[in-house]
Amino acid sequence: NAGVTQTPKFQVLKTGQSMTLQCAQDMNHNSMYWYRQDPGMGLRLIYYSASEGTTDKGEVPNGYNVSRLNKREFSLRLESAAPSQTSVYFCASNGWGAYGYTFGSGTRLTVV
Amino acid sequence: QKEVEQDPGPLSVPEGAIVSLNCTYSNSAFQYFMWYRQYSRKGPELLMYTYSSGNKEDGRFTAQVDKSSKYISLFIRDSQPSDSATYLCAMSAKDTGNQFYFGTGTSLTVIP
Protein backbone atom coordinates (compact mmCIF):
# COMPACT_ATOMS: atom_id res chain seq x y z
CA ASN A 1 0.00 0.00 0.00
CA ALA A 2 1.18 3.51 -0.81
CA GLY A 3 2.10 5.62 2.16
CA VAL A 4 4.75 6.62 4.66
CA THR A 5 6.90 3.93 6.26
CA GLN A 6 8.81 4.53 9.47
CA THR A 7 11.42 2.32 11.10
CA PRO A 8 11.88 1.24 13.79
CA LYS A 9 8.47 1.14 15.48
CA PHE A 10 9.92 0.95 18.99
CA GLN A 11 13.31 1.80 20.46
CA VAL A 12 14.84 2.09 23.91
CA LEU A 13 18.07 4.08 24.21
CA LYS A 14 20.39 4.87 27.05
CA THR A 15 21.23 8.51 27.72
CA GLY A 16 24.04 9.59 25.42
CA GLN A 17 23.46 6.95 22.75
CA SER A 18 22.76 7.94 19.17
CA MET A 19 20.28 6.61 16.66
CA THR A 20 18.66 7.39 13.32
CA LEU A 21 14.95 7.18 12.63
CA GLN A 22 14.17 6.29 9.04
CA CYS A 23 11.26 7.48 6.92
CA ALA A 24 10.33 6.71 3.34
CA GLN A 25 7.32 7.68 1.22
CA ASP A 26 6.23 6.29 -2.13
CA MET A 27 3.70 8.96 -3.15
CA ASN A 28 6.19 11.17 -5.02
CA HIS A 29 5.62 13.95 -2.47
CA ASN A 30 8.01 16.88 -2.45
CA SER A 31 7.72 17.83 1.21
CA MET A 32 8.53 15.72 4.24
CA TYR A 33 8.31 16.45 7.97
CA TRP A 34 9.36 15.14 11.35
CA TYR A 35 7.07 15.73 14.34
CA ARG A 36 7.17 14.66 17.92
CA GLN A 37 4.01 14.08 19.92
CA ASP A 38 3.92 14.40 23.69
CA PRO A 39 0.91 14.30 26.05
CA GLY A 40 -0.66 17.74 26.40
CA MET A 41 1.74 19.24 23.85
CA GLY A 42 0.26 17.99 20.63
CA LEU A 43 2.31 17.59 17.48
CA ARG A 44 5.42 19.77 17.37
CA LEU A 45 7.47 20.20 14.22
CA ILE A 46 11.13 19.25 14.58
CA TYR A 47 12.46 19.67 11.03
CA TYR A 48 11.02 19.71 7.57
CA SER A 49 12.19 19.42 4.00
CA ALA A 50 10.14 21.44 1.52
CA SER A 51 11.85 19.76 -1.41
CA GLU A 52 14.74 17.44 -2.16
CA GLY A 53 18.00 19.11 -1.18
CA THR A 54 16.54 21.51 1.39
CA THR A 55 15.92 21.21 5.12
CA ASP A 56 14.70 23.74 7.67
CA LYS A 57 14.23 23.91 11.42
CA GLY A 58 10.81 23.70 12.95
CA GLU A 59 9.60 24.56 16.42
CA VAL A 60 11.81 22.15 18.44
CA PRO A 61 15.01 21.34 16.49
CA ASN A 62 17.54 21.27 19.35
CA GLY A 63 19.21 17.87 19.78
CA TYR A 64 18.21 16.63 16.32
CA ASN A 65 19.64 16.56 12.82
CA VAL A 66 18.02 15.52 9.56
CA SER A 67 19.04 14.32 6.13
CA ARG A 68 16.92 14.38 2.99
CA LEU A 69 18.65 11.48 1.30
CA ASN A 70 16.56 11.65 -1.87
CA LYS A 71 12.98 12.48 -2.78
CA ARG A 72 11.65 9.38 -1.01
CA GLU A 73 13.68 9.33 2.20
CA PHE A 74 14.02 11.71 5.15
CA SER A 75 15.91 10.59 8.25
CA LEU A 76 16.05 12.04 11.77
CA ARG A 77 19.16 11.60 13.90
CA LEU A 78 19.61 11.93 17.63
CA GLU A 79 23.32 12.42 18.25
CA SER A 80 23.28 12.14 22.05
CA ALA A 81 19.90 11.04 23.34
CA ALA A 82 18.44 12.65 26.46
CA PRO A 83 15.43 11.58 28.57
CA SER A 84 13.61 14.73 27.36
CA GLN A 85 13.60 13.17 23.89
CA THR A 86 11.37 10.33 25.06
CA SER A 87 8.38 10.75 22.74
CA VAL A 88 6.47 9.37 19.79
CA TYR A 89 7.99 10.52 16.51
CA PHE A 90 5.94 10.85 13.35
CA CYS A 91 7.13 11.35 9.83
CA ALA A 92 4.72 12.95 7.35
CA SER A 93 4.72 13.92 3.70
CA ASN A 94 2.77 16.30 1.49
CA GLY A 95 2.80 17.22 -2.17
CA TRP A 96 1.03 19.09 -4.96
CA GLY A 97 -2.53 17.92 -5.31
CA ALA A 98 -2.45 16.19 -1.94
CA TYR A 99 -4.82 17.29 0.79
CA GLY A 100 -3.11 17.57 4.13
CA TYR A 101 -0.33 15.35 5.35
CA THR A 102 0.03 11.60 5.15
CA PHE A 103 1.54 10.32 8.38
CA GLY A 104 3.55 7.25 9.16
CA SER A 105 2.59 4.96 12.01
CA GLY A 106 5.18 6.44 14.38
CA THR A 107 8.28 5.46 16.32
CA ARG A 108 7.95 5.13 20.09
CA LEU A 109 11.27 6.16 21.59
CA THR A 110 12.20 5.82 25.25
CA VAL A 111 15.46 7.26 26.57
CA VAL A 112 16.50 5.94 29.98
CA GLN B 1 -0.33 32.26 22.85
CA LYS B 2 -0.39 29.17 20.67
CA GLU B 3 -1.42 29.59 17.05
CA VAL B 4 -4.15 26.96 17.45
CA GLU B 5 -6.10 26.21 20.64
CA GLN B 6 -8.10 23.05 21.18
CA ASP B 7 -9.82 21.78 24.32
CA PRO B 8 -8.11 18.47 25.18
CA GLY B 9 -11.19 16.98 26.81
CA PRO B 10 -11.58 14.12 27.49
CA LEU B 11 -15.06 13.98 26.05
CA SER B 12 -17.31 11.02 26.78
CA VAL B 13 -20.70 10.58 25.06
CA PRO B 14 -23.27 7.80 24.68
CA GLU B 15 -23.60 6.00 21.36
CA GLY B 16 -25.86 7.90 18.97
CA ALA B 17 -25.09 11.33 20.41
CA ILE B 18 -24.08 14.35 18.35
CA VAL B 19 -20.50 15.36 19.08
CA SER B 20 -19.10 18.86 18.63
CA LEU B 21 -15.34 19.41 18.54
CA ASN B 22 -13.85 22.88 18.25
CA CYS B 23 -10.67 24.83 17.64
CA THR B 24 -9.84 28.51 17.73
CA TYR B 25 -6.91 30.16 16.04
CA SER B 26 -5.13 33.49 16.02
CA ASN B 27 -3.64 33.79 12.52
CA SER B 28 -6.19 35.42 10.20
CA ALA B 29 -4.13 34.23 7.20
CA PHE B 30 -5.10 30.59 7.78
CA GLN B 31 -7.30 29.42 4.93
CA TYR B 32 -6.81 25.62 4.76
CA PHE B 33 -8.45 23.69 7.58
CA MET B 34 -8.24 20.02 8.37
CA TRP B 35 -9.42 17.51 10.91
CA TYR B 36 -7.37 14.41 11.67
CA ARG B 37 -8.45 11.33 13.59
CA GLN B 38 -5.86 9.42 15.58
CA TYR B 39 -6.57 6.03 17.06
CA SER B 40 -4.53 4.90 20.04
CA ARG B 41 -0.94 4.02 19.08
CA LYS B 42 -1.52 4.95 15.43
CA GLY B 43 -0.57 7.87 13.21
CA PRO B 44 -3.09 10.65 12.50
CA GLU B 45 -5.25 10.14 9.41
CA LEU B 46 -6.96 12.90 7.45
CA LEU B 47 -10.69 13.02 8.09
CA MET B 48 -11.90 16.30 6.60
CA TYR B 49 -10.35 19.08 4.53
CA THR B 50 -11.94 22.48 3.89
CA TYR B 51 -10.80 25.63 2.17
CA SER B 52 -11.79 29.06 3.51
CA SER B 53 -15.18 29.54 5.18
CA GLY B 54 -18.31 27.45 5.05
CA ASN B 55 -19.47 23.91 5.68
CA LYS B 56 -18.44 20.57 4.28
CA GLU B 57 -20.29 17.34 4.86
CA ASP B 58 -19.05 13.77 4.46
CA GLY B 59 -21.37 11.09 5.74
CA ARG B 60 -21.83 11.53 9.48
CA PHE B 61 -19.14 14.21 9.65
CA THR B 62 -19.59 17.97 9.07
CA ALA B 63 -16.76 20.49 9.19
CA GLN B 64 -17.56 24.17 9.71
CA VAL B 65 -15.25 27.14 9.35
CA ASP B 66 -16.08 30.63 10.64
CA LYS B 67 -13.17 32.82 9.61
CA SER B 68 -14.72 35.97 11.06
CA SER B 69 -14.61 34.38 14.52
CA LYS B 70 -11.42 32.36 13.84
CA TYR B 71 -13.28 29.23 14.89
CA ILE B 72 -13.65 25.80 13.33
CA SER B 73 -15.84 22.89 14.32
CA LEU B 74 -16.27 19.21 13.56
CA PHE B 75 -19.68 17.63 14.14
CA ILE B 76 -20.17 13.90 14.34
CA ARG B 77 -23.78 12.68 14.01
CA ASP B 78 -25.00 9.33 15.31
CA SER B 79 -21.67 8.73 17.03
CA GLN B 80 -20.39 5.15 17.14
CA PRO B 81 -17.93 3.38 19.45
CA SER B 82 -15.58 3.20 16.45
CA ASP B 83 -15.41 7.02 16.55
CA SER B 84 -13.52 6.78 19.85
CA ALA B 85 -10.19 8.43 19.08
CA THR B 86 -8.30 11.68 19.45
CA TYR B 87 -9.30 14.38 16.98
CA LEU B 88 -6.76 16.99 15.94
CA CYS B 89 -7.47 20.16 14.05
CA ALA B 90 -4.83 21.56 11.71
CA MET B 91 -4.56 24.62 9.54
CA SER B 92 -2.23 26.44 7.21
CA ALA B 93 -1.88 29.57 5.12
CA LYS B 94 -0.42 30.30 1.68
CA ASP B 95 2.58 32.03 3.26
CA THR B 96 3.31 29.09 5.55
CA GLY B 97 3.98 26.92 2.54
CA ASN B 98 3.16 23.31 3.33
CA GLN B 99 3.55 23.77 7.09
CA PHE B 100 0.47 22.96 9.10
CA TYR B 101 -0.26 24.10 12.63
CA PHE B 102 -1.93 21.56 14.87
CA GLY B 103 -4.16 21.74 17.90
CA THR B 104 -3.27 19.51 20.84
CA GLY B 105 -6.17 17.15 20.13
CA THR B 106 -9.46 16.25 21.84
CA SER B 107 -9.86 12.73 23.20
CA LEU B 108 -13.33 11.31 22.47
CA THR B 109 -14.89 8.15 23.90
CA VAL B 110 -18.24 6.90 22.61
CA ILE B 111 -19.85 4.58 25.13
CA PRO B 112 -21.99 1.72 23.72
Side-chain angles (χ1 to χ4, degrees):
Chain A
N1 290 338
V4 178
T5 303
Q6 288 183 238
T7 55
K9 294 191 182 306
F10 303 93
Q11 185 71 49
V12 178
L13 288 179
K14 293 183 178 179
T15 298
Q17 287 185 318
S18 62
M19 79 162 294
T20 300
L21 281 65
Q22 306 286 354
C23 175
Q25 53 91 10
D26 57 7
M27 295 169 288
N28 202 35
H29 285 168
N30 286 322
S31 303
M32 298 185 73
Y33 308 81
W34 277 105
Y35 282 88
R36 60 178 289 175
Q37 187 175 39
D38 303 287
M41 304 292 287
L43 284 161
R44 292 183 292 169
L45 183 63
I46 305 171
Y47 271 94
Y48 67 100
S49 172
S51 61
E52 187 178 355
T54 69
T55 60
D56 285 287
K57 294 178 181 179
E59 181 184 356
V60 290
N62 290 345
Y64 306 95
N65 285 301
V66 290
S67 295
R68 184 73 183 266
L69 304 170
N70 48 55
K71 192 170 186 179
R72 290 187 63 249
E73 299 172 288
F74 188 39
S75 62
L76 178 72
R77 182 161 178 83
L78 286 71
E79 291 291 351
S80 179
S84 61
Q85 293 178 305
T86 293
S87 187
V88 181
Y89 292 85
F90 287 102
C91 178
S93 70
N94 173 262
W96 291 111
Y99 295 108
Y101 291 163
T102 300
F103 282 90
S105 57
T107 295
R108 294 186 171 273
L109 175 66
T110 301
V111 183
V112 297
Chain B
Q1 182 188 8
K2 288 177 70 78
E3 296 258 19
V4 181
E5 299 280 356
Q6 184 175 9
D7 186 338
L11 191 60
S12 184
V13 301
E15 184 175 353
I18 296 174
V19 176
S20 172
L21 305 167
N22 311 294
C23 289
T24 59
Y25 61 94
S26 57
N27 188 345
S28 58
F30 287 148
Q31 55 186 149
Y32 303 97
F33 303 93
M34 289 139 283
W35 286 95
Y36 284 82
R37 178 175 60 195
Q38 185 176 20
Y39 291 114
S40 180
R41 296 184 172 266
K42 301 288 186 183
E45 56 178 343
L46 184 66
L47 191 61
M48 298 284 283
Y49 181 98
T50 54
Y51 170 70
S52 195
S53 284
N55 293 358
K56 184 174 182 179
E57 189 172 320
D58 184 1
R60 297 184 294 109
F61 298 89
T62 300
Q64 276 188 359
V65 175
D66 182 348
K67 291 192 71 179
S68 61
S69 302
K70 299 192 183 70
Y71 189 88
I72 69 170
S73 299
L74 177 71
F75 297 96
I76 307 174
R77 292 184 299 280
D78 187 24
S79 55
Q80 303 294 310
S82 59
D83 295 327
S84 298
T86 296
Y87 291 80
L88 300 100
C89 61
M91 48 199 78
S92 68
K94 270 191 179 177
D95 61 3
T96 61
N98 287 327
Q99 280 195 69
F100 297 162
Y101 294 84
F102 286 85
T104 52
T106 300
S107 175
L108 170 68
T109 300
V110 180
I111 302 168

